Each structure stands twice: as C-alpha cells, then as structure tokens.
C-alpha cells in the first residue's frame, strides 16, 4: 500500500478481490474522469507512512472498545438507518445498537405507521392511509448551542420523497416530518450553529436542505424536454415549526451541506454544474463548485419581497443563479470553483475552513470562510482566492472528519483507505512550501469507505478520540449470509499520531452518515408525562365504550398485568378508535397491544397514550393481548374484543 495511488502497479498482496473492485469501481465511477487520478501522486502523499494500525496493535492510551458487562458507553452515535427510514442509536465505543427511532417507514416494534399519532407525523392521504411507505435516509445532524450539540433535536433526510424528519432527543422519537416543495433528491442536511444577525441567538434555528436532482419548475408536465430550464432549490427549514422558511433557486445541483460557526454561511458541494441530465454530461466539466449562501442577505431579500413562488407552494424562492449574482456586493450566492465532481463539504472545528473532497479528483480543496465573506463585502477581487489549499490526498476522496488538533481524516473510496492530513501543512504546501508534509498517516479499510466521522467532529468540542468509517462493502469480513452482504462500520482509535483499527461491525445497508457525541450532552427522559397526550385516559374508571352513531371510541388503560377492561363489545361495521394509556409509571414497563386478524400491534411506554382506528368488519371473538413481556402474568394480559354480527 505504501506506493499509494497507482493500483495497477501494486504487487498482489493477497488483496486481489479488492484490487478488482477498485479498478471496476474506478471504471464505473469515473470513466474519463479518472484520467487525472492515475498520474503520479504528489510526493507528500507518496512519502506518507504506511505503517497501518491493526486490530492486534495496542490501543493508544489504553483505549478499548470492549466494555465489561454492565459498563456503559461514553458516546452516543446517531446513525442514519438507510432504506429502513429510521435513525439508529448506537453506544460507542462498543458499537452496540441501543435502539432505532422510526421516522419515514412503518416499524413493527413500536407500531409506527399503525397508530393514529404516528400516521399523522408520517403524513396521510385523503383516505387516511400513509402517503409513503419507502424511504432512503442519508444524513443526520443534531441541534447546536454555542458550537456544540445541545441535545434538543436531531434531523434526518429522506432522499426519495424529499422529506426531513425531526427527532426529539428528550424522548428519542420523531415528532415532525416536512416534505420540501418543488424539489427531488433532497440529500445534504445541516442545521445552522447560530444566527447570522442576532448574536443573542447562539443556537440552531434553521436547518438547510440541499436537493440533488434538477427538475422543471413547476414539475407538472411542462418543459420536460427543456433540460437547460431544469433547476433545483436549496431550502431553509425552521427548526421549531418545521415549516419551510425560504428556498433559493440555483444553477447546478446540491449534494452535501455545511454551515459556518458564525451562522453567516451555508454551503453545498455541486457535482453537476453542467446541468447534465445524463451521467456522461455530469462529468464533462473539469471543475464543479462549492456553492455558498449568504444567509443574512437571502433573508433580507425575502423580507423585501424579492421572491417568486412555484406551483401550489407558498414558500418564497429567491434567485441564487449565477447570472443574477455576479455582483459581489449584492450577491446572495457565491460559486467557488472546485475540481471535478466533488463529494462532501465539511466545516473544520476551528471555524475557519470548509473542505470539499474531490471524488473524481484525488484532491481536497480547503476554502477559507473569512475570504468568502470578504468577497461578499467586495474586499476580495476573485472568489478563487478563497481557496487556500487544493492538495492530493488519494483516490476517490469523499468525506472528511476532524480531531480538533488541526488534522482532517478523509475517506478514499477507490483506495479503500482513510488518510489523515494536517490542514495548516496542506495550506503551506499549496502556498509553495513543497517540504510541508501534510499527509500524516494512512490506514487501509475493508472496503470502499464512504462516510466518516470523528467523536464530536463538527463541533467546537472535537475531541479526537474515535473515528468511525462506513464501508460500503464488507466482502470477506463476516460470515457469509447469502448474496446480500452487510456493510462494515469500522471503528478507529485516533487519539495518537497513528490511526489504529479497533473493531468491525456489520450493519444492514445502507446507513450512510452519522454523528458521534459525548453522552453527557443528552438527558433522555425514561417515563412520559400523561399530560403530553391530549387524549390520555388518566384513570382506569374512565375506561369504556362510547358510541356516536357508527363511530365507537374504546378507552382502555394498562397496568401490569391487566388491561382496564377484560372485554369490550362493538358491532360489525363500526369505525372503532381504540385509545390506550399505559398507567404504569415504572421505568422500562412497556406493554403491547395486538388484535388478531385486524392488523393491529403497537406498544405503549410508561405513561404514554396511543390510538388506532379500524373498521370492525369481521364478527367474532378476538383476543387482544399484550405483546411486550411485562410481568409474570404477561401471557394472561388479554382483553376479549367481541364484534357482534
Ligand atoms: S452521501 S458516501 Cu448520500 Cu452522504 Cu457520501
Ligand atoms: Cu403487558 Cu405484557
Ligand atoms: Ca461535474
């Protein structure tokens, strides 16, 4: 591996399959674009030490990923769940999965998509059924205060239907989902870190959402053949109301999103400045862009009424296209040129830089934020001058994390490695100091890494302890389980100079992004408050069957090991709404409620209320029963639903 970049000349080191995948991926991924990557690497890269850490190496400073029974993890990880449309919560460094928070897709454990309350959050059609049942989550980020996570909210995207979900981190539940208007392929997501105008607002109030696919606007059957008229929008969602505040019409596309620590700038990397509709077209230009948004100016333009709307949407859309924003003094946007089809834009924890990974270029581009602000103020002649480094790091760079000690960690998809490089040394190298060794270390991964994140990485409290990498292929790392391989999440100790690979974890695809933060930043509640639920049945004596014509409400409570009614009767054809409050107050005392043949199963946590609505279309006796082991008499915890013919 030490020669680094030129795979075809590597001796066969027993990693034949990996090399095969590399060349196949290179051919498939990049076509002509990879030509640039097969050049000899910069000396700084070639000179990097290849002494990779391994699982057998001693962990630094006694770090261990193995916890003794009963020991708790020191970090939370919030993981995008991928196709399952949920958020996975892990404990780190053990890598144990603690829970999953359903968002976009029905979930059989909690009854998400079964209960009325969850259906209302997920979004319904006119007939009450779910609007969507598939999702593709990629990115997850949490709310900030003073540059660090404040434990209020996390957000996660659904790329398929351009939805953003909010998770309350006090109860670990999804409480709101918003569908963005007039966009497709909503991908990158990042909350702001403070207000750009009011310094008293030192916490997240906006979430920025980048849409990847360009479409005719409005997309209602017109302009289908006029690809040069397709556009996409960058959206700002209000963190509290979850309403879309405003959108920006742009050229090219959005991919990932980053925000500055002063709240003034948001950015997205663009791989399709060509506005191409075919894969080849999207790779025709040598350079693409990192597109910056001047948040204060955009909001001033919205206030001044300088916007349009599209289709049925009332959301104000300001003009952020290149042609309308050439004058720096009034520009809402700034298109910084970066090499071919970049992927990932990440904010360094010192607040100074955004780093764009090259993907089809073996480089990372470092953009100094103060210089971008200078350009907006008319103090920097050319926007390109905001680029303070553009250095080779390896093949297929995708995402970057930080250790808070000035180092960046970038995944190299094609090289199947992660490279540790020093940002200030890279800036020196770029400025002409060819002795500046910016590559500090390189570590082989198994295999083809995409996302990477370090503990507390994109906060002012980046602590440089752990790095996790989401590898897209696991191949031979786990017992074979048929054609669908798990993916491989690898945990790396980055507390020392050298990276040390500590653990492999199989995960069901396709998790993408995640964040890792200190456990003391979260204070989850473990019992609900009855008053959180307007329809709560606060006393078992309120139980009963209330009829209003053909509509029937069944009010029920649970207290281990019994439901408040041992039986209840409805009539065939009734529309039944069953409300169940769990009156148990004991932590961890969850009950379930299932009705055979009626497709009902959900759980109620301590002091929680949920409801389901169904048509009693089958007469007979149906034993509704508790599905969550709660008591020695759990099996006896039943209620007889009688449906009279
Ligand atoms: S993207 S592997 Cu959907 Cu997060 Cu970069
Ligand atoms: Cu209640 Cu099992
Ligand atoms: Ca391109």
């Amino acid at each position: 591996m030490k020669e680094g970049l030129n795979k075809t000349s590597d001796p066969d080191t027993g990693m034949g399959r990996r090399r095969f995948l590399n060349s196949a991926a290179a051919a498939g991924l990049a076509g002509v674009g990879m030509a640039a990557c097969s050049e000899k690497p910069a000396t700084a890269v070639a000179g990097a030490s290849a002494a990779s850490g391994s699982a057998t190496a001693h962990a630094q400073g006694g770090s261990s990923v193995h916890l003794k029974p009963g020991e708790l993890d020191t970090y939370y990880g919030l993981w995008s769940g991928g196709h399952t449309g949920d958020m996975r919560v892990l404990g780190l460094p053990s890598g144990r999965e603690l829970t999953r928070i359903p968002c976009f897709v029905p979930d059989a454990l909690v009854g998400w998509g079964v209960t009325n309350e969850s259906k209302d959050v997920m979004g319904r059609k006119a007939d009450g059924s779910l609007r969507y049942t598939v999702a593709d989550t990629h990115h997850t980020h949490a709310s900030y205060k003073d540059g660090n996570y404040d434990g209020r909210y996390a957000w996660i995207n659904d790329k398929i239907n351009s939805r953003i979900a909010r998770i309350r981190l006090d109860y670990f539940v999804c409480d709101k989902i918003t569908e963005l208007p007039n966009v497709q392929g909503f991908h990158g997501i990042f909350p702001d870190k403070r207000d750009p105008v009011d310094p008293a607002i030192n916490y997240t109030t906006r979430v920025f959402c980048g849409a990847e696919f360009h479409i005719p606007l409005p997309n209602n059957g017109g302009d289908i053949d006029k690809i040069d008229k397709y556009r996409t929008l960058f959206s700002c969602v209000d963190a509290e109301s979850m309403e879309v505040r405003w959108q920006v019409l742009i050229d090219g596309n959005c991919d990932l999103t980053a925000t500055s620590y002063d709240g003034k700038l948001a950015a997205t990397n663009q791989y399709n400045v060509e506005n191409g509709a075919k894969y080849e077209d999207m790779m025709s230009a040598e350079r693409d862009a990192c597109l910056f948004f001047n948040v204060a100016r955009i909001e001033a333009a919205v206030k001044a009424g300088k916007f349009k709307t599209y289709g049925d949407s009332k959301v104000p859309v300001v003009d952020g296209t290149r042609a309308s924003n050439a004058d720096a003094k009034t520009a809402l946007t700034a298109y910084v040129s970066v090499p071919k089809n970049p992927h990932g834009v990440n904010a360094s924890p010192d607040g100074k830089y955004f780093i764009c990974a090259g993907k089809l270029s073996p480089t990372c581009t470092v953009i100094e934020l103060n210089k971008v602000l200078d350009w907006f103020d008319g103090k920097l002649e050319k926007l390109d001058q905001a680029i303070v480094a553009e250095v080779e790091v390896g093949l297929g760079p995708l995402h970057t994390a930080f250790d808070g000690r000035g180092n960046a960690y970038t995944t190299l998809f094609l090289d199947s490695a992660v490279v540790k490089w020093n940002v200030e040394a890279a800036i020196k190298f770029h400025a002409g100091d060819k002795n500046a060794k910016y590559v500090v270390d390189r570590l082989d991964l198994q295999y083809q890494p995409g996302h990477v994140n370090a503990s507390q990485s994109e906060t002012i409290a980046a602590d440089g302890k752990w790095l996790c990498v989401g590898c897209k292929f696991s191949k031979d790392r786990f017992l074979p389980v048929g054609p669908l391989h798990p993916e491989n999440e690898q945990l790396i100790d980055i507390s020392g100079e050298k990276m040390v690979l500590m653990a492999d974890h199989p995960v069901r695809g396709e998790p993408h992004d995640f964040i890792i933060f200190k456990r003391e930043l979260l204070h989850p509640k473990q019992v609900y408050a009855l008053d959180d639920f307007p329809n709560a049945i606060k006393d078992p004596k309120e139980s009963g069957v209330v009829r209003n014509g053909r509509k029937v409400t069944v009010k029920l409570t649970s207290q281990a090991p019994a439901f408040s009614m041992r039986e209840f009767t409805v009539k065939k054809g009734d529309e039944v709404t069953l409300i169940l409050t769990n009156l148990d107050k004991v932590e961890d005392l969850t009950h379930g409620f299932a009705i055979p043949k009626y497709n009902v199963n959900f759980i109620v946590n301590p002091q929680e209320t949920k409801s389901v609505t169904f048509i009693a279309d089958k007469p007979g006796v149906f034993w509704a029963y508790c599905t969550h082991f709660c008591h020695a008499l759990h099996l006896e915890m039943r209620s007889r639903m009688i449906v009279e013919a």
Side-chain angles (χ1 to χ4, degrees):
M1 273 312 295
K2 59 183 172 299
E3 296 79 14
L5 303 184
N6 195 346
K7 282 282 156 246
T8 49
S9 66
D10 270 3
D12 190 344
T13 53
M15 292 183 138
R17 276 179 300 161
R18 210 191 106 197
R19 284 178 48 217
F20 170 74
L21 184 74
N22 271 341
S23 38
L29 184 81
V32 290
M34 289 312 293
C37 305
S38 59
E39 287 164 14
K40 271 273 163 242
T43 49
V45 177
S49 161
S52 303
S54 74
T56 52
H58 273 293
Q60 295 154 8
S63 313
S64 171
V65 298
H66 298 292
L67 299 184
K68 293 195 196 91
E71 261 182 2
L72 300 183
D73 280 295
T74 44
Y75 293 85
Y76 281 102
L78 298 185
W79 249 251
S80 160
H83 301 214
T84 49
D86 52 8
M87 179 181 280
R88 299 174 192 168
V89 183
L90 307 193
L92 289 169
S94 75
R96 299 179 295 197
E97 184 178 292
L98 305 176
T99 191
R100 294 183 174 203
I101 307 166
C103 300
F104 299 111
V105 170
D107 179 83
L109 170 67
V110 305
W112 192 253
V114 174
T115 61
N116 292 320
E117 294 74 18
S118 60
K119 283 180 173 170
D120 288 343
V121 172
M122 294 170 83
R124 302 187 194 228
K125 297 188 204 158
D127 69 358
S129 63
L130 290 176
R131 186 186 285 277
Y132 306 113
T133 53
V134 294
D136 177 25
T137 68
H138 284 230
H139 300 113
T140 173
H141 288 287
S143 57
Y144 284 80
K145 183 171 188 187
D146 274 330
N148 199 357
Y149 298 126
D150 65 2
R152 281 184 299 148
Y153 299 125
W155 289 272
I156 190 166
N157 77 308
D158 163 32
K159 182 168 169 176
I160 300 175
N161 295 306
S162 291
R163 292 177 293 170
I164 171 172
R166 180 174 72 186
I167 283 115
R168 282 177 60 161
L169 289 175
D170 53 354
Y171 288 117
F172 281 69
V173 291
C174 171
D175 74 332
K176 281 200 175 205
I177 292 179
T178 298
E179 186 172 342
L180 305 175
N182 288 311
V183 298
Q184 272 179 32
F186 156 40
H187 191 211
I189 181 174
F190 218 104
D192 68 2
K193 302 188 182 95
R194 62 191 310 139
D195 191 86
V197 187
D198 182 353
I201 303 177
N202 58 349
Y203 54 87
T204 295
T205 63
R206 305 168 181 81
V207 190
F208 300 106
C209 307
E212 197 176 328
F213 307 150
H214 56 342
I215 50 173
L217 285 173
N219 189 21
N220 54 14
D223 288 342
I224 287 171
D225 294 323
K226 298 191 188 127
I227 287 158
D228 56 325
K229 289 190 109 184
Y230 288 21
R231 289 289 177 277
T232 191
L233 304 170
F234 184 80
S235 305
C236 172
V237 172
D238 189 285
E240 284 305 323
S241 70
M242 288 290 284
E243 305 276 318
V244 184
R245 281 198 196 177
W246 44 259
Q247 295 178 301
V248 185
L249 182 79
I250 60 163
D251 291 314
N253 72 323
C254 302
D255 191 16
L256 281 293
T257 305
T259 60
S260 65
Y261 283 80
D262 59 12
K264 292 180 180 167
L265 296 170
T268 182
N269 64 292
Q270 303 196 298
Y271 63 76
N272 190 15
V273 297
E274 301 92 335
N275 262 10
K278 293 191 212 101
Y279 143 89
E280 300 82 358
D281 302 337
M282 299 180 201
M283 294 194 303
S284 59
E286 269 318 302
R287 293 181 77 90
D288 284 278
C290 181
L291 168 53
F292 284 82
F293 298 88
N294 187 318
V295 178
R297 278 193 196 168
I298 289 167
E299 299 202 339
V302 171
K303 237 186 185 166
K306 294 185 200 148
F307 61 78
K308 306 195 199 188
T309 59
Y310 290 100
D312 300 335
S313 164
K314 302 259 178 320
V315 175
V317 179
V318 298
D319 184 354
T321 56
R322 282 174 189 262
S324 308
N325 292 276
D327 181 0
K329 287 248 169 85
T330 56
L332 309 180
T333 54
Y335 292 74
V336 177
S337 166
V338 301
K340 212 174 182 75
N341 290 47
H343 188 66
V345 53
N346 295 95
S348 63
D350 58 11
K352 290 196 212 163
Y353 309 111
F354 280 5
I355 291 171
C356 255
K359 193 166 77 184
L360 295 194
S361 161
T363 54
C364 279
T365 301
V366 182
I367 301 167
E368 188 175 330
L369 301 184
N370 274 336
K371 295 197 169 172
V372 175
L373 291 172
D374 282 349
W375 181 82
F376 277 117
D377 289 344
K379 289 190 265 174
L380 189 78
E381 201 194 327
K382 285 173 52 205
L383 202 41
D384 290 358
Q385 294 167 319
I387 295 175
V388 292
E390 199 163 284
V391 293
E392 291 200 23
V393 292
L395 288 190
L398 290 185
H399 292 279
T400 299
F402 305 92
D403 63 8
R405 298 186 292 268
N407 300 305
Y409 299 77
T410 300
T411 46
L412 303 172
F413 182 82
L414 298 177
D415 274 348
S416 260
V418 57
V419 56
K420 172 181 177 181
W421 55 284
N422 185 276
V423 179
E424 293 302 331
I427 292 170
K428 282 195 192 125
F429 182 87
H430 183 80
D433 177 359
K434 296 301 168 201
N435 292 322
K437 276 191 128 206
Y438 56 90
V439 172
V440 182
D441 192 21
R442 247 176 91 102
L443 178 69
D444 283 352
L445 299 174
Q446 291 76 30
Y447 303 91
Q448 261 68 39
H451 272 285
V452 63
N453 224 333
S455 43
Q456 295 279 148
S457 176
E458 278 178 277
T459 72
I460 56 160
D463 67 3
K465 289 215 164 66
W466 300 104
L467 188 78
C468 189
V469 183
C471 295
K472 303 290 188 192
F473 296 82
S474 65
K475 298 201 261 186
D476 50 6
R477 298 294 273 198
F478 305 110
L479 285 175
V481 286
L484 175 64
H485 293 226
E487 293 177 26
N488 188 11
E489 305 273 300
Q490 297 192 295
L491 189 71
I492 297 159
D493 179 349
I494 54 166
S495 58
E497 180 83 350
K498 294 247 169 280
M499 296 179 276
V500 181
L501 181 60
M502 300 294 289
D504 282 5
H505 288 282
V507 286
R508 197 154 183 244
E510 148 79 16
H512 294 275
D513 200 12
F514 46 86
I515 55 173
I516 301 163
F517 54 95
K518 290 214 167 121
R519 70 176 183 202
E520 49 269 34
L521 297 176
L522 278 196
H523 304 281
K525 301 177 189 173
Q526 296 185 289
V527 175
Y528 279 101
L530 274 186
D531 290 336
D532 287 349
F533 305 92
N535 55 348
I537 300 153
K538 296 188 179 173
D539 189 321
K541 290 194 204 97
E542 293 170 31
S543 306
V545 178
V546 184
R547 177 171 292 278
N548 181 3
R550 283 332 296 267
K551 295 196 175 188
V552 171
T553 307
V554 178
K555 297 182 177 178
L556 200 59
T557 63
S558 59
Q559 267 173 305
F563 293 110
S564 55
M565 292 191 287
R566 307 295 184 262
E567 63 179 55
F568 56 92
T569 303
V570 298
K571 291 194 171 68
K572 186 181 174 216
D574 285 346
E575 182 193 288
V576 179
T577 296
L578 185 144
I579 306 168
L580 173 59
T581 297
N582 182 3
L583 291 177
D584 277 312
K585 291 190 185 122
V586 184
E587 207 180 291
D588 207 2
L589 218 178
T590 294
H591 298 286
F593 192 85
I595 311 175
K597 316 299 178 195
Y598 275 91
N599 207 28
V600 167
N601 186 17
F602 62 96
I603 56 169
V604 276
N605 292 301
Q607 303 281 290
E608 187 179 31
T609 299
K610 283 183 185 165
S611 69
V612 286
T613 298
F614 57 91
I615 304 292
D617 52 3
K618 292 169 283 281
V621 168
F622 302 90
W623 284 104
Y625 70 101
C626 178
T627 46
H628 212 84
F629 211 108
C630 54
H631 190 276
L633 294 170
H634 159 74
L635 291 172
E636 289 81 349
M637 187 166 177
R638 304 192 219 161
S639 183
R640 198 160 56 113
M641 179 170 90
I642 298 160
V643 180
E644 292 177 346

